[in-house]
Each structure stands twice: as C-alpha cells, then as structure tokens.
C-alpha cells in the first residue's frame, strides 16, 4: 500500500484521537463560543486541528479529482460550464430571469443562514481557522511548534477568501471568531468589504503564511502540507487574477507589475532549496511527451508539485481516500464507469507537433479524417480515440476501440449507425480522457482504488503565471520564452527555439498564446473555467474574444466524434456482425488488431493509419450536448460576479446584493 498523504487524510489523526480520548474537541465545534485550552497547549492536538481544516477543504473519497471543485459542490459543474465537458448545468442554460437570487443559478457557495448543525461551508471553515489564530498565541506553545501551524492556517484563510472573491467580488471580511453569545447582535453584522480590501487581506495572509513557514521542511510523512513556496505561488495566482480583465477593466499596468513581482518571487523561491527545488518534471526526457506523462505518477518529492492533494489506494474504510478519476476515465469495456468524455473543441486546441495550430501548420497539414496525426505529444497523453493504445496492468497492449456501423442500409445521410463495438456503452463524445490515467493501474477492482495524487498547482502554472504577468508589463520576450519552456518540456519541435511561436508579435497575440497554452497544458485540471472568467471569454461583450482571437463559449455546442466503419472501396459497411472482429480467424472487413501486418507496415502506429484510411470514416458528433430545442451554451454576464442567494440574504440584508442580481435593499459593485 502506498504512503498515506497528510493533506487528503488530514482527518485521520484527529479521528483516531477523538475516538479514543477526547470529546472536548468536537464539543468545541458545537459550542460556537467555547475554547478547549488543551488544543492550543499540546502540539499534537493543535496539529490535529490544522489537519481537520485540511480535511474540510480537500476532496472526499472517490472524488473525480481533475474536474473537482469545492465551489461547485465538488462535482463537474464548472468544467461543464466550459468547452471541456458536455452537458447542461445551471450556468450554461437559458433562464427566464437570469438575475433572480431565488433560482439555482445563484451560486450558494457563500453559505446560507445558520442552523443548529455545523455544515462544512465557507464561513464555518473561516470561523474554525479564526478560532485557532485567535487562541494559539495565548497558551505558551513553543514558536518552533506553533509557527508552521499558524502559517498553514493563514494560507487556508487566504485560500477561502480568494475562492469567494473570484466568484462574488468583495465579501464580509471576518478576521476574528465571532461569538453567538453577545448582548449586541449588531457587532456580528459585518457588511461586504470592497473587493480591493479583500485582495489586500488575502495578500497579507499569504505574506504571513510565507514568513511563518520560511525554513520549514516537511518529511515524506507530511508530503502535501503547505510550504512557503506554495504560499508565494498562490499569491502570484491571486494577483494575476486581480490584474486580469475580470477585475482590471482599464488594464492598469501597475496591477500587472504587482503580479509579475509576486510570480517572479515565487519562481525564485520555489527553485531554491528552501522552496523545495521545484522545476518542470523532466524524468524520462522531453521526447514524445514522456516526462509530461510520467509526472502524474511520481508522488512524494515530485518537483512539479507546488500544491498537491494526496490520495491512497487502501480499501480500509476509516482511512480510505481513493482518487475516483481513474475509474471515471476508463471505459466500461474494462469494467470502469466511462463517465467523462473529451470534446472536439479541446482536441482542436492542441497544436500540431511543430507548435502551429491545426490548419495553420504547413509542415503538418490537418484534416478531420486524420485528426490524430502529427499532433503535440501532449495530445496522445490526454486523449484516447478509436484504436489508440491504452495500457493497463493486465494488458499492456490493450487498444480502445470505439466505432459504429450500420446494421441496415440507411435511408438518408442523417440516419445514425446502430451497430456499436462497445456494447456496454461509451462516453458521449466517443473520445476518452487519458490524462493522469495510470498505464499500470489494475482493472481487478474496476479501477476504483486509485491512489494517484492531484497537483492543484504545478510548477508549470507558476511559470505561465509569470509569463502572463510579464506580457502584462510589456516584457514580451520574457513571456514568450516562458511559454516556449513549457512547450519544450511537452516535446514540441524546436524550430530554432521558436517552438511554434515565431508569428506571435503583439501584446495581445502574446496574451492569446499564454491563454492557448494554458488551455492545452491544464486541460481537465479544473483551470479552464477560471481562465474563461478572468479574461471575460464566455462571450465577446467585452471585446476580449476579438482581442485574443478566441471562440466565444456562448452559442457553442460541445462536440465529439463518430468513427464509422467503411469498406475499402469507400462505401459504408452494412451488416449485423462487428466488421473488425474476426470470427473463425476472418473479420467481415478487416482485423482491427492483426497478428501480422500488411506488406510495408511494420508497427501498430503505421497500421492504425492504414486502418483509418481504408476502413474508418470520421464524422463530427453533434448530439453530445442536449439536442432538444436546438440547445446551445448560454452565458449570462451576471455569472462573472454571482449574487447572494436568498437563503443567505434574507437573514443578512446588510450584506448588499451584487449588482445585476435581485434581492436586498442595497447594491454592491464588485469592481471597487
């Protein structure tokens, strides 16, 4: 069994302790004014408290980690509110009145009115953090013990406030634990602070975390705890968001400068011994994306991991934290759930292997029929299409086939084929996601006990955050060089060191290049939703789609691909039998995985080209999104800053409602 990581099993030490010798800790959680002094005197108990906070923020057992987001109730909703995944959710469909705070599209993440029970929501977590910070200095614990604990808590307070601010704008800044026992209820009524004040508090907390964690090194048993480098890198993410068009409508270069300075400091710190000697993962080499693939499965002391969520592969229920990603990605053919499919839009974002966009590259012409040919090496490590190799522990040469055929002659060209090789069903786009799916994983238990860690923040992101900030202050050459560094590790052809970026000249072209690179490098890592929001790219109402030559998400139908069997003469195959599976040694049309290849073909990659050319017709699949009433993605600009839901506002009218949303007696403007 692999090592249990502290940050995803943060509750384990606490749970064992509580179960054996202390009810006071939980009583403290129930009594909103009580303090258990032992917690702040004993380093073991104090560490258990901090671990409890980790547990409150991080994914639960079997979370689908790469599309998981706490603010969307830990599910795929935000990824489905992008071009990455298909399906209808609250933020991509038509509403009769989009700004009503009583409807489900008014995000409830900020919390709701207090009840008799304790929920794991934003301000409950903040209160628990504040309670710790209010008391930890009062009871004589040694600096060496308490400073790293305080540093972690300041980080998580910053994390929580940033999560709220990027969704709502300014929120109430509560920096001391409020008591429910008070004669002056007015003291608990804290209105929303300005967005700028919230950003300054977040930055101050991260600076404090960085200072308190300076010099702290964690052993293998504490892999995944927050470090000073993580705090610095997260500060860079915060200030980059503050400099982006969502908040920075007038392109204030001083904000870009501040983001640049923070990200430059983060890179310098992370690369140092104190910061963990972080770098782009390189084990296995850059050729063919080998290092890029290997990094997902290197865990303790992974140099790419800046902020990491640890999982384990145990089946023991009291400490089980399995990563549900492996099972969600693998096909039903292999006994998994096959529940998330990649879209054609994201596949199309991956460049050719010379770094040029599909259809732009002259060295490597693109066509839909051979969409998989000559692509960025990351393409093959991110997607599994019909006929692609997809190893697992029991079958290292396994190929995933996802093709259709006509059982009867179609009456017209709009008829879809009914024969299907995946009789148990497939993902709705017919293209699987391979990213971070372990080629050594076993199907013995339907892939449900995966222990693959999830890197919430990679060193690659810190470099691209720095690149974007550099572009913001017109240091274009520095920004391009950092993008090229990411592409070099991916295995894209150098072309004299340009890595496909030779035609990127203007500031906006550089911004577009970094956004496009993030779309590829961080595909299916819960980053796309936030990039679309901070650059106002869901539609072109603010002109940023035109500026950056981006396709608006609004009006889109996310698509997949059909792989339809044909005969070598070009006509569609018609018949009851699977055309590519041999019966008594002979396939009706051609063997999809022959023991011997035709003359002139020496390996499977060559055979797959032959197979597609002669026996597969590739067609765009346009029924992956809802087909009723000509459904297309609908975005409302109110979603750039969500309103306060009625469940919270009705008992806290002093908060003020976000501009553009109903409810409340006053208006809050998030850009202040």
């Amino acid at each position: 069994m692999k090592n249990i990581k502290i940050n995803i099993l943060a509750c384990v030490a606490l749970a064992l302790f509580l179960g054996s010798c202390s009810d006071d800790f939980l009583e403290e959680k129930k009594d909103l004014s009580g303090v258990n002094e032992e917690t702040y005197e004993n380093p073991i108990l104090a560490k258990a408290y901090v671990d409890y906070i980790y547990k409150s923020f991080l994914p639960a057992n079997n979370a689908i980690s790469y599309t998981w987001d706490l603010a969307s109730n830990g599910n795929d909703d935000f990824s489905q509110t992008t071009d990455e995944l298909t399906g209808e959710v609250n933020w991509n469909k038509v509403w009769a009145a989009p700004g009503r705070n009583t409807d489900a599209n008014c995000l409830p993440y900020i919390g709701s009115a207090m009840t008799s029970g304790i929920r794991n929501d934003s301000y409950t977590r903040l209160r628990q953090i504040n309670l710790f910070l209010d008391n930890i200095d009062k009871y004589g614990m040694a600096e060496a013990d308490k400073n790293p604990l305080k540093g972690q808590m300041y980080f998580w307070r910053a994390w929580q406030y940033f999560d709220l601010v990027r969704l709502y704008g300014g929120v109430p800044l509560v920096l001391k634990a409020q008591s429910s026992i008070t004669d002056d209820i007015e003291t608990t009524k804290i209105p929303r602070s300005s967005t700028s004040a919230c950003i300054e508090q977040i930055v101050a907390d991260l600076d404090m975390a960085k200072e308190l964690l300076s010099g702290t090194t964690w052993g293998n048993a504490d892999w995944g705890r927050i470090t000073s480098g993580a705090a610095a890198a997260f500060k860079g993410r915060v200030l980059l968001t503050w400099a982006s068009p969502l908040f920075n409508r007038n392109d204030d270069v001083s904000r870009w400068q501040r983001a640049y300075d923070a990200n430059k400091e983060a890179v310098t710190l992370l690369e140092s011994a104190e910061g963990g000697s972080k770098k782009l993962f390189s084990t296995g080499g850059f050729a063919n994306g080998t290092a890029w693939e290997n990094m997902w499965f290197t865990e303790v002391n992974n140099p790419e991991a800046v902020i990491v969520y640890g999982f384990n592969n145990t089946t023991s229920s009291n400490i089980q934290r399995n990563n549900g990603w492996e099972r969600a990605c693998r096909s039903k053919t292999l006994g998994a759930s096959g529940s998330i499919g990649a879209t054609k839009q994201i596949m199309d974002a991956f460049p050719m292997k010379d770094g040029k966009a599909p259809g732009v590259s002259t060295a490597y012409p693109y066509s839909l029929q051979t969409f998989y040919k000559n692509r960025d090496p990351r393409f093959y490590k991110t997607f599994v299409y019909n006929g692609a190799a997809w190893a697992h522990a029991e079958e290292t040469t396994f190929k995933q086939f996802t093709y259709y055929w006509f059982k009867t002659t179609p009456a017209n060209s709009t008829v879809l084929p009914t024969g299907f090789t995946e009789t148990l069903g497939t993902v709705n786009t017919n293209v699987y996601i391979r990213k971070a799916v372990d080629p050594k994983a076993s199907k013995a238990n339907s892939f449900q006990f995966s222990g693959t860690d999830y890197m919430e923040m990679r060193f690659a992101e810190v470099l691209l955050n720095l690149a974007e900030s550099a572009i913001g202050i017109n240091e274009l050459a520095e920004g391009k060089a950092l993008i090229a560094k990411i592409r070099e590790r991916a295995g894209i052809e150098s072309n004299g060191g340009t890595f496909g970026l030779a035609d990127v000249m203007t500031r906006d072209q550089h911004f577009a290049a970094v956004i496009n690179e993030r779309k590829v490098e961080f595909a299916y890592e819960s980053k796309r939703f936030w990039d679309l929001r901070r650059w106002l790219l869901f539609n072109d109402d603010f002109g940023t789609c035109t500026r950056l030559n981006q396709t608006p998400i609004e009006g889109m139908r996310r698509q997949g691909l059909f792989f339809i069997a044909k005969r070598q003469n070009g006509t569609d195959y018609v018949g009851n039998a699977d055309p590519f599976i041999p019966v008594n040694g002979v396939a009706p049309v051609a063997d999809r995985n022959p023991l011997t290849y035709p003359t002139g073909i020496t390996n499977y990659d060559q055979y797959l080209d032959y197979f597609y050319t002669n026996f597969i017709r590739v067609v765009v699949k346009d029924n992956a999104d809802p087909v009723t009433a000509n459904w297309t993605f609908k975005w409302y600009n109110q979603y750039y800053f969500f309103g306060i839901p009625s469940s919270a506002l009705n008992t806290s009218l002093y908060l003020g409602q976000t501009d553009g949303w109903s409810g409340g007696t006053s208006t809050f403007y998030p850009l202040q």
Side-chain angles (χ1 to χ4, degrees):
M1 184 176 74
K2 64 186 282 187
N3 291 334
I4 297 172
K5 314 305 187 306
I6 185 65
N7 59 350
I8 196 64
L9 287 179
C11 63
V12 173
L14 175 61
L16 294 175
F17 174 78
L18 293 175
S20 61
C21 61
S22 176
D23 294 326
D24 291 340
F25 194 96
L26 281 183
E27 286 304 314
E28 177 187 323
K29 299 299 177 193
K30 295 175 183 177
D31 175 2
L32 298 183
S33 61
V35 172
N36 174 13
E37 290 84 353
E38 285 184 71
T39 301
Y40 307 106
E41 295 170 338
N42 186 320
I44 295 176
L45 295 184
K47 180 173 176 287
Y49 193 129
V50 173
D51 291 355
Y52 179 89
I53 296 300
Y54 275 87
K55 165 62 167 55
S56 299
F57 279 103
L58 299 181
N61 184 40
N62 286 321
I64 303 175
S65 60
Y66 281 74
T67 54
W68 179 93
D69 199 295
L70 180 62
S72 66
N73 292 319
N75 53 36
D76 294 338
D77 285 4
F78 285 171
S79 290
Q80 290 179 285
T81 312
T82 72
D83 43 4
E84 286 191 329
L85 296 180
T86 64
E88 183 179 85
V89 294
N90 287 328
W91 304 292
N92 65 19
K93 66 180 183 179
V94 172
W95 290 83
R100 288 193 307 220
N101 77 331
T102 54
D103 290 336
N105 64 338
C106 189
L107 185 72
Y109 179 63
I110 196 169
S112 58
M114 185 182 296
T115 64
S116 58
I118 295 177
R119 295 183 299 256
N120 182 25
D121 62 19
S122 301
Y123 279 91
T124 301
R125 292 188 288 270
L126 285 168
R127 186 182 189 282
Q128 291 168 343
I129 292 168
N130 285 336
L131 191 64
F132 183 92
L133 293 174
D134 289 348
N135 288 281
I136 189 63
D137 288 327
K138 295 179 180 179
Y139 296 95
M141 189 183 298
E143 298 281 323
D145 290 323
K146 71 179 179 181
N147 281 353
L149 300 176
K150 288 169 61 180
Q152 293 169 83
M153 292 298 236
Y154 276 111
F155 173 88
W156 286 115
R157 188 166 75 176
W159 177 282
Q160 180 61 89
Y161 273 122
F162 178 66
D163 225 16
L164 290 167
V165 167
R166 63 181 176 170
L167 289 165
Y168 297 96
V171 293
L173 278 176
V174 184
L175 304 177
K176 297 288 183 182
Q178 293 179 315
S179 173
S180 61
I181 303 173
T182 179
D183 294 328
D184 185 5
I185 193 66
E186 295 301 315
T187 62
T188 66
K189 294 182 178 180
I190 300 179
R192 296 170 74 171
S193 294
S194 67
T195 304
S196 58
C198 290
I199 291 293
E200 294 310 314
Q201 183 59 52
I202 291 165
V203 169
D205 278 355
L206 291 170
D207 283 340
M208 182 64 75
K210 181 160 59 75
E211 178 183 342
L212 289 166
L213 289 165
S214 179
T216 298
T217 57
W218 303 115
N220 288 353
D222 284 313
W223 165 247
R225 287 194 183 276
I226 298 302
T227 65
S228 59
F234 191 68
K235 177 182 172 182
R237 182 193 282 183
V238 170
L239 289 175
L240 178 67
T241 302
W242 183 234
S244 300
L246 174 63
F247 291 105
N248 189 15
R249 302 295 171 91
N250 296 321
D251 196 22
D252 181 353
V253 176
S254 68
R255 291 197 190 178
W256 289 110
Q257 182 67 56
R258 197 175 176 195
Y260 175 84
D261 293 342
N263 282 295
K264 190 76 169 179
E265 178 189 16
V267 170
T268 301
L269 176 57
L270 288 167
E271 289 179 333
S272 71
E274 179 183 344
S277 301
K278 299 298 182 182
K279 61 179 182 177
L280 292 177
F281 190 94
S282 58
T283 302
F286 293 177
N288 301 317
T290 303
W292 195 83
E293 179 180 36
N294 288 344
M295 72 174 159
W296 313 111
F297 314 113
T298 299
E299 298 186 344
V300 174
N301 298 322
N302 184 338
E304 182 96 7
V306 176
I307 300 174
V308 60
Y309 302 164
F311 291 87
N312 66 36
N313 59 6
T314 185
T315 61
S316 179
S317 59
N318 64 325
I319 58 172
Q320 186 178 28
R321 286 297 185 276
N322 304 148
N323 189 343
W325 180 252
E326 184 89 30
R327 178 172 168 78
C329 289
R330 291 282 189 175
S331 65
K332 293 177 182 177
T333 297
L334 291 174
S337 61
S339 59
I340 48 175
T343 63
K344 180 178 182 293
Q345 281 80 1
I346 296 300
M347 287 192 290
D348 288 348
F350 281 67
M352 310 306 286
K353 65 182 183 179
D354 63 354
K356 298 288 187 179
V360 173
S361 171
T362 56
Y364 302 106
Y366 170 85
S367 73
L368 178 65
Q369 179 63 32
T370 55
F371 68 95
Y372 62 91
K373 289 273 290 180
N374 298 316
R375 303 300 290 271
D376 175 340
R378 291 171 292 188
F379 184 93
Y380 308 103
K381 313 301 183 182
T382 303
F383 307 110
V384 174
Y385 46 88
N386 175 55
W390 202 9
H392 57 88
E394 287 79 12
E395 192 175 354
T396 58
T397 60
F398 177 78
K399 281 89 176 177
Q400 181 67 51
F401 289 99
T402 311
Y403 54 83
Y404 295 75
W405 71 89
F406 291 99
K407 289 191 173 183
T408 58
T409 302
N412 56 64
S413 60
T414 65
V415 174
L416 296 177
T418 55
F420 185 40
T421 193
E422 287 195 84
T423 56
L424 297 176
T426 183
V427 291
N428 62 352
T429 62
N430 294 323
V431 180
Y432 292 89
I433 299 172
R434 179 178 177 174
K435 186 177 212 173
V437 175
D438 191 349
K440 297 180 181 178
S442 173
K443 70 174 185 177
N445 294 294
S446 303
F447 302 101
Q448 64 181 319
F449 301 120
S450 170
T452 301
D453 290 349
Y454 170 67
M455 290 179 279
E456 159 58 33
M457 194 172 198
R458 299 197 272 120
F459 190 69
E461 181 190 341
V462 186
L463 292 181
L464 288 177
N465 290 348
L466 178 59
E468 189 173 335
S469 304
I471 295 163
I473 61 172
N474 280 298
E475 294 291 342
L476 304 185
E478 181 179 0
K480 185 188 288 190
L482 288 162
I483 301 169
K485 193 171 184 178
I486 299 297
R487 288 185 155 210
E488 180 182 22
R489 193 271 297 273
I492 287 177
E493 292 176 347
S494 171
N495 290 321
T498 65
F499 295 95
L501 301 170
D503 296 333
V504 176
M505 305 296 291
T506 69
R507 182 172 181 255
D508 278 345
Q509 287 174 339
H510 280 77
F511 275 137
V514 77
I515 289 297
N516 291 339
E517 197 63 29
R518 292 176 69 93
K519 186 177 181 180
V520 171
E521 177 72 17
F522 305 132
Y524 305 104
E525 293 185 53
S526 298
K527 302 294 183 289
R528 180 67 173 156
F529 176 74
W530 304 107
D531 284 345
L532 290 169
R533 289 183 84 254
R534 66 188 182 84
W535 270 95
L536 305 170
L537 294 175
F538 282 99
N539 55 37
D540 203 26
D541 288 1
F542 302 93
T544 50
C545 287
T546 296
R547 277 183 59 195
L548 273 58
N549 193 28
Q550 302 290 301
T551 301
I553 306 298
E554 186 174 9
M556 181 180 289
R557 287 184 58 79
R558 283 82 48 98
Q559 299 169 323
L561 296 175
F562 278 117
F563 305 98
I564 300 174
K566 67 177 183 178
R567 296 186 181 276
Q568 199 161 8
N569 63 9
T571 62
D572 288 332
Y573 167 78
V574 180
N576 286 320
D578 188 313
F580 303 131
I581 294 181
V583 177
N584 297 323
V586 179
V589 174
D591 190 339
R592 66 190 192 184
N593 194 18
L595 295 176
T596 58
Y597 297 128
T599 301
I601 295 175
T602 60
N603 58 53
Y604 181 73
D605 287 345
Q606 293 174 357
Y607 182 76
L608 191 62
D609 291 344
Y610 168 83
F611 186 74
Y612 266 83
T613 299
N614 291 282
F615 306 120
I616 292 292
R617 181 163 60 93
V618 181
V619 179
V620 174
K621 184 181 190 295
D622 197 45
N623 62 352
D625 265 336
V627 295
T628 56
N630 298 315
W631 188 98
T632 60
F633 193 114
K634 179 60 181 175
W635 174 262
Y636 297 100
N637 289 338
Q638 286 96 329
Y639 300 162
Y640 283 123
F641 293 109
F642 285 102
I644 308 298
S646 59
S647 59
L649 195 62
N650 289 349
T651 56
S652 306
L653 293 176
Y654 55 87
L655 289 177
Q657 182 58 286
T658 307
D659 185 34
W661 290 85
S662 68
T665 57
S666 61
T667 300
F668 179 87
Y669 298 97
L671 294 180
Q672 295 178 348

